[in-house]
Amino acid sequence: MKYYGFWRSLAACRVRIALALKGVKAEEIPVNLMQGEQLKPEYRAVNAQGVVPTLMLDDGSALFESMAIIEYLDETHPQPPLMPKDAKGRARVRGLAQIVACDGHPLVVPRIRNYLEKDLAIDEATRTRWCQHWIMEALKAVDAHLSKEKETGRFCHGDAPTLADICVATQVFGARFYNCDTGPVPAVMRVFGECMKLEAFERSHPLKQPGAPKELKH
Ligand SMILES: N[C@@H](CCC(=O)N[C@@H](CS)C(=O)NCC(=O)O)C(=O)O
Protein backbone atom coordinates (compact mmCIF):
# COMPACT_ATOMS: atom_id res chain seq x y z
CA MET A 1 0.00 0.00 0.00
CA LYS A 2 1.19 3.56 -0.71
CA TYR A 3 -0.43 6.97 -0.70
CA TYR A 4 -0.01 10.29 -2.41
CA GLY A 5 0.39 13.14 0.05
CA PHE A 6 2.39 16.27 0.81
CA TRP A 7 4.04 17.47 3.99
CA ARG A 8 1.77 20.47 4.48
CA SER A 9 -1.52 18.84 3.47
CA LEU A 10 -3.86 18.54 6.44
CA ALA A 11 -6.06 16.02 4.60
CA ALA A 12 -3.03 13.80 3.88
CA CYS A 13 -2.00 14.25 7.51
CA ARG A 14 -5.34 12.75 8.57
CA VAL A 15 -4.55 9.59 6.62
CA ARG A 16 -0.95 9.57 7.91
CA ILE A 17 -2.21 9.63 11.51
CA ALA A 18 -4.75 6.86 10.86
CA LEU A 19 -2.06 4.65 9.28
CA ALA A 20 0.21 5.31 12.26
CA LEU A 21 -2.52 4.55 14.80
CA LYS A 22 -3.23 1.29 12.98
CA GLY A 23 0.45 0.42 12.67
CA VAL A 24 0.06 0.04 8.90
CA LYS A 25 3.13 0.84 6.82
CA ALA A 26 2.49 2.76 3.60
CA GLU A 27 5.01 4.74 1.58
CA GLU A 28 4.09 8.42 1.08
CA ILE A 29 4.61 9.65 -2.47
CA PRO A 30 4.87 13.45 -2.38
CA VAL A 31 2.80 15.59 -4.74
CA ASN A 32 4.18 19.12 -4.45
CA LEU A 33 1.07 21.25 -3.98
CA MET A 34 3.11 24.45 -3.91
CA GLN A 35 4.41 23.72 -7.41
CA GLY A 36 0.99 22.68 -8.73
CA GLU A 37 1.95 19.03 -9.29
CA GLN A 38 -1.58 18.01 -8.26
CA LEU A 39 -2.92 19.59 -11.46
CA LYS A 40 -0.67 17.68 -13.86
CA PRO A 41 -2.41 15.13 -16.11
CA GLU A 42 -0.25 12.31 -14.65
CA TYR A 43 -1.67 12.95 -11.17
CA ARG A 44 -5.20 13.71 -12.42
CA ALA A 45 -5.14 10.21 -13.90
CA VAL A 46 -4.76 8.95 -10.31
CA ASN A 47 -7.04 11.49 -8.60
CA ALA A 48 -9.58 13.17 -10.89
CA GLN A 49 -10.07 16.10 -8.50
CA GLY A 50 -6.34 16.88 -8.38
CA VAL A 51 -6.03 16.71 -4.60
CA VAL A 52 -4.20 14.65 -2.00
CA PRO A 53 -4.51 12.20 -0.35
CA THR A 54 -5.02 9.19 -2.60
CA LEU A 55 -4.51 5.72 -1.15
CA MET A 56 -3.20 3.19 -3.69
CA LEU A 57 -4.08 -0.38 -2.83
CA ASP A 58 -1.90 -3.32 -3.85
CA ASP A 59 -4.51 -4.35 -6.47
CA GLY A 60 -4.12 -0.95 -8.17
CA SER A 61 -7.34 0.61 -6.83
CA ALA A 62 -7.10 4.28 -5.93
CA LEU A 63 -9.15 5.44 -2.94
CA PHE A 64 -9.89 9.17 -2.57
CA GLU A 65 -11.20 11.54 0.15
CA SER A 66 -9.43 11.29 3.50
CA MET A 67 -12.47 10.31 5.56
CA ALA A 68 -13.48 7.58 3.11
CA ILE A 69 -9.88 6.33 3.17
CA ILE A 70 -9.78 6.32 6.99
CA GLU A 71 -13.06 4.44 7.22
CA TYR A 72 -11.68 1.90 4.69
CA LEU A 73 -8.57 1.47 6.85
CA ASP A 74 -10.75 1.10 9.93
CA GLU A 75 -12.82 -1.62 8.28
CA THR A 76 -9.83 -3.53 6.90
CA HIS A 77 -7.60 -3.08 9.99
CA PRO A 78 -10.10 -3.06 12.86
CA GLN A 79 -7.57 -2.62 15.70
CA PRO A 80 -7.47 -0.15 17.31
CA PRO A 81 -10.97 1.00 16.27
CA LEU A 82 -11.34 4.59 15.11
CA MET A 83 -15.14 4.55 15.30
CA PRO A 84 -17.42 3.82 18.30
CA LYS A 85 -19.35 0.53 18.41
CA ASP A 86 -22.78 2.19 18.67
CA ALA A 87 -24.62 3.94 15.84
CA LYS A 88 -25.28 7.09 17.90
CA GLY A 89 -21.61 7.29 18.83
CA ARG A 90 -20.56 6.87 15.20
CA ALA A 91 -22.95 9.66 14.19
CA ARG A 92 -21.39 11.97 16.80
CA VAL A 93 -17.83 11.13 15.77
CA ARG A 94 -18.66 11.59 12.07
CA GLY A 95 -20.43 14.85 12.92
CA LEU A 96 -17.43 16.28 14.77
CA ALA A 97 -15.08 15.08 12.02
CA GLN A 98 -17.26 16.62 9.31
CA ILE A 99 -17.39 20.04 10.97
CA VAL A 100 -13.67 20.11 10.27
CA ALA A 101 -13.31 18.07 7.09
CA CYS A 102 -16.48 19.19 5.26
CA ASP A 103 -17.13 22.71 6.58
CA GLY A 104 -13.88 24.24 7.86
CA HIS A 105 -10.86 22.82 6.08
CA PRO A 106 -12.27 23.02 2.49
CA LEU A 107 -12.34 26.83 2.74
CA VAL A 108 -8.57 27.12 3.18
CA VAL A 109 -7.17 24.57 0.71
CA PRO A 110 -4.74 25.75 -2.01
CA ARG A 111 -7.33 25.99 -4.84
CA ILE A 112 -9.48 28.33 -2.70
CA ARG A 113 -6.49 30.44 -1.63
CA ASN A 114 -5.31 30.60 -5.25
CA TYR A 115 -8.77 31.68 -6.45
CA LEU A 116 -8.93 34.42 -3.82
CA GLU A 117 -5.49 35.63 -4.89
CA LYS A 118 -5.50 35.26 -8.66
CA ASP A 119 -9.15 35.61 -9.69
CA LEU A 120 -10.47 37.95 -6.99
CA ALA A 121 -7.21 39.88 -6.42
CA ILE A 122 -7.54 39.66 -2.65
CA ASP A 123 -4.36 40.74 -0.86
CA GLU A 124 -2.35 38.46 1.40
CA ALA A 125 -3.43 40.06 4.71
CA THR A 126 -7.11 39.67 3.79
CA ARG A 127 -6.55 36.10 2.58
CA THR A 128 -4.92 35.31 5.91
CA ARG A 129 -7.92 36.77 7.76
CA TRP A 130 -10.19 34.57 5.62
CA CYS A 131 -8.23 31.44 6.57
CA GLN A 132 -8.04 32.35 10.27
CA HIS A 133 -11.78 33.05 10.36
CA TRP A 134 -12.89 29.76 8.80
CA ILE A 135 -10.37 27.62 10.67
CA MET A 136 -11.62 29.04 13.96
CA GLU A 137 -15.32 28.85 13.03
CA ALA A 138 -14.93 25.07 12.74
CA LEU A 139 -12.91 24.77 15.94
CA LYS A 140 -15.40 26.91 17.90
CA ALA A 141 -18.28 24.68 16.78
CA VAL A 142 -16.33 21.56 17.80
CA ASP A 143 -15.45 23.23 21.10
CA ALA A 144 -19.12 23.90 21.86
CA HIS A 145 -19.86 20.19 21.40
CA LEU A 146 -16.85 18.95 23.36
CA SER A 147 -17.44 21.25 26.30
CA LYS A 148 -21.12 20.42 26.85
CA GLU A 149 -21.58 16.79 25.80
CA LYS A 150 -21.19 13.88 28.19
CA GLU A 151 -19.62 11.63 25.55
CA THR A 152 -16.47 13.77 25.59
CA GLY A 153 -13.73 12.02 27.50
CA ARG A 154 -9.98 12.15 27.41
CA PHE A 155 -10.48 12.43 23.64
CA CYS A 156 -13.35 13.82 21.56
CA HIS A 157 -15.45 10.70 22.14
CA GLY A 158 -14.48 8.63 25.15
CA ASP A 159 -10.97 7.75 26.19
CA ALA A 160 -9.47 6.50 22.93
CA PRO A 161 -8.74 8.47 19.74
CA THR A 162 -11.28 8.33 16.92
CA LEU A 163 -11.76 9.83 13.47
CA ALA A 164 -12.94 12.99 15.25
CA ASP A 165 -9.60 13.46 17.04
CA ILE A 166 -7.72 12.97 13.78
CA CYS A 167 -9.74 15.75 12.14
CA VAL A 168 -9.64 18.09 15.14
CA ALA A 169 -5.88 17.69 15.71
CA THR A 170 -5.08 18.43 12.06
CA GLN A 171 -7.33 21.51 12.17
CA VAL A 172 -5.29 22.74 15.17
CA PHE A 173 -2.13 22.22 13.09
CA GLY A 174 -3.77 24.51 10.53
CA ALA A 175 -4.74 27.03 13.23
CA ARG A 176 -1.10 27.22 14.27
CA PHE A 177 0.13 27.63 10.69
CA TYR A 178 -2.14 30.69 10.46
CA ASN A 179 -1.30 32.04 13.94
CA CYS A 180 -4.91 31.77 15.09
CA ASP A 181 -5.76 32.64 18.69
CA THR A 182 -6.85 29.28 20.12
CA GLY A 183 -7.80 30.83 23.48
CA PRO A 184 -11.53 30.64 22.68
CA VAL A 185 -11.38 26.83 22.18
CA PRO A 186 -10.08 25.40 25.49
CA ALA A 187 -11.87 22.04 25.18
CA VAL A 188 -10.38 21.53 21.71
CA MET A 189 -6.92 22.41 22.96
CA ARG A 190 -7.21 20.03 25.91
CA VAL A 191 -8.08 17.17 23.54
CA PHE A 192 -5.33 18.28 21.14
CA GLY A 193 -2.84 18.04 24.05
CA GLU A 194 -3.98 14.46 24.69
CA CYS A 195 -3.61 13.58 20.99
CA MET A 196 -0.09 14.96 20.89
CA LYS A 197 0.95 12.66 23.74
CA LEU A 198 0.47 9.80 21.25
CA GLU A 199 3.38 9.00 18.96
CA ALA A 200 1.07 8.43 15.99
CA PHE A 201 -0.07 12.07 16.11
CA GLU A 202 3.27 13.52 17.11
CA ARG A 203 5.33 11.96 14.33
CA SER A 204 2.66 12.62 11.70
CA HIS A 205 2.90 16.40 12.19
CA PRO A 206 3.27 18.23 8.85
CA LEU A 207 6.52 19.92 9.89
CA LYS A 208 8.07 16.53 10.71
CA GLN A 209 7.69 15.22 7.16
CA PRO A 210 10.46 15.09 4.55
CA GLY A 211 10.77 18.38 2.67
CA ALA A 212 9.03 20.45 5.36
CA PRO A 213 10.56 23.70 6.61
CA LYS A 214 11.45 24.05 10.32
CA GLU A 215 8.59 26.47 10.91
CA LEU A 216 5.72 27.87 8.89
CA LYS A 217 3.87 31.15 9.20
CA HIS A 218 1.06 30.07 6.84
N1 LIG B 1 -11.98 16.65 1.27
C1 LIG B 1 -10.70 16.23 0.78
C2 LIG B 1 -9.78 17.41 0.71
C3 LIG B 1 -8.62 17.17 -0.21
C4 LIG B 1 -7.85 18.45 -0.40
O1 LIG B 1 -8.44 19.51 -0.69
N2 LIG B 1 -6.53 18.34 -0.26
C5 LIG B 1 -5.72 19.50 -0.44
C6 LIG B 1 -4.51 19.50 0.48
S1 LIG B 1 -4.99 19.53 2.17
C7 LIG B 1 -5.21 19.53 -1.86
O2 LIG B 1 -4.66 18.57 -2.34
N3 LIG B 1 -5.41 20.66 -2.52
C8 LIG B 1 -4.93 20.88 -3.83
C9 LIG B 1 -5.52 22.15 -4.38
O3 LIG B 1 -6.37 22.74 -3.71
O4 LIG B 1 -5.14 22.52 -5.49
C10 LIG B 1 -10.14 15.14 1.71
O5 LIG B 1 -10.47 15.16 2.90
O6 LIG B 1 -9.38 14.29 1.25
Side-chain angles (χ1 to χ4, degrees), residues 9-55:
S9 161
L10 300 178
C13 186
R14 299 198 275 261
V15 168
R16 193 182 301 125
I17 294 170
L19 288 164
L21 284 168
K22 299 279 181 190
V24 175
K25 287 209 183 340
E27 181 198 353
E28 179 167 327
I29 306 165
V31 178
N32 193 322
L33 301 182
M34 287 146 109
Q35 291 174 5
E37 282 179 9
Q38 73 276 25
L39 305 175
K40 291 191 173 159
E42 306 88 274
Y43 184 65
R44 288 245 197 216
V46 173
N47 182 303
Q49 208 184 355
V51 300
V52 294
T54 306
L55 183 73

Coordinates of all heavy atoms in Angstrom, one line a residue, residues 9-55:
S9 N -0.1 19.1 3.7 CA -1.5 18.8 3.5 C -2.1 18.3 4.8 O -1.7 17.3 5.3 CB -1.7 17.8 2.4 OG -3.0 17.2 2.5
L10 N -3.2 19.0 5.2 CA -3.9 18.5 6.4 C -4.7 17.3 6.2 O -4.9 16.4 7.0 CB -4.7 19.7 7.0 CG -3.9 20.9 7.4 CD1 -4.9 22.0 7.9 CD2 -2.8 20.7 8.4
A11 N -5.3 17.2 4.9 CA -6.1 16.0 4.6 C -5.2 14.8 4.5 O -5.5 13.7 5.0 CB -6.8 16.2 3.3
A12 N -4.0 14.9 3.9 CA -3.0 13.8 3.9 C -2.6 13.5 5.3 O -2.4 12.3 5.6 CB -1.8 14.1 3.0
C13 N -2.4 14.5 6.1 CA -2.0 14.2 7.5 C -3.0 13.4 8.3 O -2.7 12.5 9.1 CB -1.8 15.6 8.2 SG -1.1 15.5 9.9
R14 N -4.3 13.6 7.9 CA -5.3 12.8 8.6 C -5.1 11.3 8.3 O -5.2 10.4 9.2 CB -6.7 13.2 8.1 CG -7.1 14.6 8.4 CD -8.6 14.9 8.3 NE -9.1 15.3 7.0 CZ -9.3 16.5 6.6 NH1 -9.1 17.5 7.4 NH2 -9.8 16.7 5.4
V15 N -4.8 11.0 7.0 CA -4.5 9.6 6.6 C -3.2 9.1 7.3 O -3.2 7.9 7.7 CB -4.5 9.5 5.1 CG1 -4.0 8.1 4.6 CG2 -5.9 9.7 4.5
R16 N -2.2 9.9 7.3 CA -0.9 9.6 7.9 C -1.1 9.2 9.4 O -0.6 8.2 9.9 CB 0.0 10.8 7.8 CG 1.5 10.4 8.1 CD 2.4 11.6 8.0 NE 2.4 12.3 6.7 CZ 2.1 13.6 6.5 NH1 1.8 14.4 7.5 NH2 2.1 14.1 5.3
I17 N -2.0 9.9 10.1 CA -2.2 9.6 11.5 C -3.0 8.3 11.6 O -2.6 7.5 12.5 CB -3.0 10.8 12.2 CG1 -2.2 12.0 12.3 CG2 -3.4 10.3 13.6 CD1 -3.0 13.3 12.7
A18 N -4.0 8.1 10.8 CA -4.8 6.9 10.9 C -3.9 5.7 10.6 O -3.9 4.7 11.3 CB -5.9 6.9 9.9
L19 N -3.0 5.8 9.6 CA -2.1 4.7 9.3 C -1.2 4.4 10.5 O -0.9 3.2 10.9 CB -1.2 5.0 8.1 CG -1.9 5.0 6.7 CD1 -1.1 5.7 5.7 CD2 -2.2 3.5 6.2
A20 N -0.7 5.5 11.1 CA 0.2 5.3 12.3 C -0.5 4.7 13.4 O 0.0 3.8 14.1 CB 0.8 6.7 12.6
L21 N -1.7 5.1 13.7 CA -2.5 4.5 14.8 C -2.7 3.1 14.6 O -2.7 2.3 15.5 CB -3.9 5.3 15.0 CG -3.8 6.7 15.6 CD1 -5.2 7.4 15.4 CD2 -3.5 6.6 17.1
K22 N -3.0 2.7 13.3 CA -3.2 1.3 13.0 C -1.9 0.5 12.9 O -2.0 -0.8 12.7 CB -4.0 1.2 11.6 CG -5.3 1.9 11.6 CD -6.3 1.0 12.2 CE -7.7 1.6 12.1 NZ -8.7 0.8 13.0
G23 N -0.8 1.1 12.9 CA 0.5 0.4 12.7 C 0.6 -0.1 11.3 O 1.3 -1.2 11.1
V24 N 0.0 0.5 10.3 CA 0.1 0.0 8.9 C 1.1 0.9 8.2 O 1.1 2.1 8.2 CB -1.3 0.2 8.2 CG1 -1.2 -0.1 6.7 CG2 -2.4 -0.6 8.8
K25 N 2.1 0.1 7.6 CA 3.1 0.8 6.8 C 2.7 1.1 5.4 O 2.1 0.3 4.7 CB 4.4 0.0 6.8 CG 5.1 -0.1 8.1 CD 6.6 -0.4 7.9 CE 7.4 -0.5 9.2 NZ 6.8 -0.1 10.4
A26 N 2.8 2.4 5.0 CA 2.5 2.8 3.6 C 3.4 3.9 3.2 O 3.6 4.9 3.9 CB 1.0 3.2 3.5
E27 N 4.1 3.7 2.1 CA 5.0 4.7 1.6 C 4.2 6.0 1.2 O 3.2 5.9 0.5 CB 5.8 4.2 0.4 CG 6.8 5.1 -0.2 CD 7.2 4.7 -1.6 OE1 6.8 3.6 -2.1 OE2 8.0 5.4 -2.3
E28 N 4.7 7.2 1.5 CA 4.1 8.4 1.1 C 4.8 8.9 -0.2 O 6.0 9.1 -0.2 CB 4.1 9.5 2.2 CG 3.5 10.8 1.7 CD 3.2 11.8 2.8 OE1 2.9 11.4 3.9 OE2 3.3 13.0 2.5
I29 N 4.0 9.1 -1.2 CA 4.6 9.6 -2.5 C 4.2 11.1 -2.5 O 3.0 11.5 -2.6 CB 4.0 8.9 -3.7 CG1 4.2 7.4 -3.6 CG2 4.7 9.5 -5.0 CD1 3.4 6.6 -4.5
P30 N 5.2 12.0 -2.4 CA 4.9 13.4 -2.4 C 4.4 14.0 -3.7 O 4.9 13.7 -4.8 CB 6.2 14.1 -2.0 CG 7.3 13.1 -2.2 CD 6.7 11.8 -2.4
V31 N 3.3 14.8 -3.6 CA 2.8 15.6 -4.7 C 3.0 17.0 -4.3 O 2.3 17.5 -3.4 CB 1.3 15.3 -5.0 CG1 0.7 16.1 -6.1 CG2 1.1 13.8 -5.2
N32 N 3.9 17.8 -4.9 CA 4.2 19.1 -4.5 C 3.1 20.1 -4.8 O 2.9 20.6 -5.9 CB 5.5 19.6 -5.0 CG 6.0 20.8 -4.3 OD1 5.2 21.7 -4.0 ND2 7.3 20.9 -4.1
L33 N 2.2 20.4 -3.8 CA 1.1 21.2 -4.0 C 1.5 22.7 -4.2 O 0.7 23.5 -4.9 CB 0.2 21.2 -2.7 CG -0.4 19.9 -2.3 CD1 -1.3 20.0 -1.1 CD2 -1.2 19.2 -3.4
M34 N 2.7 23.1 -3.7 CA 3.1 24.5 -3.9 C 3.6 24.7 -5.3 O 3.7 25.8 -5.8 CB 4.2 24.8 -2.9 CG 3.5 25.0 -1.5 SD 4.6 24.4 -0.2 CE 5.1 26.0 0.5
Q35 N 4.0 23.6 -6.0 CA 4.4 23.7 -7.4 C 3.3 23.3 -8.4 O 3.6 23.1 -9.6 CB 5.7 22.9 -7.6 CG 6.9 23.5 -6.9 CD 8.1 22.6 -7.0 OE1 8.1 21.6 -7.7 NE2 9.2 23.0 -6.3
G36 N 2.1 23.0 -7.9 CA 1.0 22.7 -8.7 C 1.0 21.3 -9.3 O 0.3 21.0 -10.3
E37 N 1.8 20.4 -8.7 CA 1.9 19.0 -9.3 C 0.6 18.3 -9.3 O 0.4 17.4 -10.1 CB 3.0 18.2 -8.5 CG 4.4 18.6 -8.9 CD 5.4 17.7 -8.1 OE1 5.1 16.8 -7.4 OE2 6.6 18.1 -8.2
Q38 N -0.3 18.7 -8.4 CA -1.6 18.0 -8.3 C -2.4 18.2 -9.5 O -3.4 17.5 -9.7 CB -2.3 18.5 -7.0 CG -2.9 19.9 -7.0 CD -1.9 20.9 -6.6 OE1 -0.7 20.8 -6.8 NE2 -2.4 22.1 -6.1
L39 N -2.1 19.3 -10.3 CA -2.9 19.6 -11.5 C -2.4 19.0 -12.7 O -3.0 19.0 -13.8 CB -3.0 21.1 -11.6 CG -3.5 21.9 -10.4 CD1 -3.4 23.4 -10.6 CD2 -4.9 21.5 -10.0
K40 N -1.2 18.3 -12.7 CA -0.7 17.7 -13.9 C -1.5 16.5 -14.3 O -2.0 15.8 -13.5 CB 0.8 17.2 -13.6 CG 1.7 18.4 -13.4 CD 3.1 17.9 -13.4 CE 4.1 19.1 -13.4 NZ 5.4 18.8 -12.9
P41 N -1.6 16.2 -15.6 CA -2.4 15.1 -16.1 C -2.0 13.8 -15.5 O -2.9 13.0 -15.2 CB -2.1 15.1 -17.6 CG -1.5 16.4 -17.9 CD -1.0 17.0 -16.7
E42 N -0.7 13.6 -15.2 CA -0.2 12.3 -14.6 C -0.9 12.1 -13.3 O -1.4 11.0 -13.0 CB 1.3 12.3 -14.4 CG 2.2 12.6 -15.6 CD 2.4 14.1 -15.7 OE1 1.6 14.7 -16.3 OE2 3.5 14.6 -15.2
Y43 N -1.0 13.2 -12.5 CA -1.7 13.0 -11.2 C -3.2 12.9 -11.3 O -3.9 12.2 -10.6 CB -1.2 14.0 -10.2 CG -1.8 13.7 -8.8 CD1 -1.4 12.5 -8.1 CD2 -2.8 14.5 -8.2 CE1 -2.0 12.2 -6.9 CE2 -3.3 14.2 -7.0 CZ -2.9 13.0 -6.3 OH -3.5 12.7 -5.1
R44 N -3.7 13.7 -12.2 CA -5.2 13.7 -12.4 C -5.7 12.3 -12.9 O -6.8 12.0 -12.6 CB -5.6 14.7 -13.5 CG -5.5 16.2 -13.0 CD -6.8 16.8 -12.9 NE -6.7 18.2 -12.9 CZ -7.6 19.0 -12.1 NH1 -8.5 18.4 -11.5 NH2 -7.4 20.3 -12.1
A45 N -4.8 11.6 -13.5 CA -5.1 10.2 -13.9 C -5.3 9.3 -12.7 O -6.1 8.3 -12.7 CB -4.1 9.6 -14.8
V46 N -4.7 9.7 -11.6 CA -4.8 8.9 -10.3 C -5.9 9.5 -9.5 O -6.7 8.7 -8.9 CB -3.4 9.1 -9.5 CG1 -3.6 8.5 -8.1 CG2 -2.3 8.5 -10.3
N47 N -6.0 10.8 -9.4 CA -7.0 11.5 -8.6 C -7.7 12.6 -9.5 O -7.1 13.6 -9.7 CB -6.4 12.1 -7.4 CG -7.4 12.8 -6.4 OD1 -8.1 13.6 -6.8 ND2 -7.4 12.3 -5.2
A48 N -8.9 12.3 -9.9 CA -9.6 13.2 -10.9 C -9.7 14.6 -10.4 O -9.7 15.6 -11.2 CB -11.0 12.6 -11.2
Q49 N -9.9 14.8 -9.1 CA -10.1 16.1 -8.5 C -8.8 16.9 -8.4 O -8.8 18.1 -8.2 CB -10.7 15.9 -7.1 CG -11.5 17.0 -6.6 CD -12.0 16.8 -5.2 OE1 -11.7 15.7 -4.6 NE2 -12.7 17.8 -4.6
G50 N -7.6 16.2 -8.5 CA -6.3 16.9 -8.4 C -6.1 17.3 -7.0 O -5.6 18.4 -6.7
V51 N -6.3 16.4 -6.0 CA -6.0 16.7 -4.6 C -5.4 15.5 -3.9 O -5.5 14.4 -4.4 CB -7.3 17.1 -3.8 CG1 -8.0 18.3 -4.4 CG2 -8.3 15.9 -3.8
V52 N -4.7 15.8 -2.8 CA -4.2 14.6 -2.0 C -5.1 14.6 -0.7 O -5.6 15.7 -0.4 CB -2.7 14.8 -1.6 CG1 -1.8 14.7 -2.9 CG2 -2.4 16.1 -0.9
P53 N -5.2 13.5 -0.1 CA -4.5 12.2 -0.4 C -5.2 11.3 -1.3 O -6.4 11.5 -1.6 CB -4.5 11.5 1.0 CG -5.9 12.0 1.6 CD -6.1 13.4 1.1
T54 N -4.5 10.3 -1.9 CA -5.0 9.2 -2.6 C -4.3 8.0 -2.0 O -3.1 7.9 -1.9 CB -4.7 9.2 -4.1 OG1 -5.1 10.5 -4.6 CG2 -5.4 8.1 -4.9
L55 N -5.1 7.0 -1.7 CA -4.5 5.7 -1.2 C -4.5 4.7 -2.3 O -5.6 4.4 -2.9 CB -5.3 5.2 0.0 CG -4.8 3.9 0.7 CD1 -3.5 4.2 1.5 CD2 -5.8 3.3 1.6

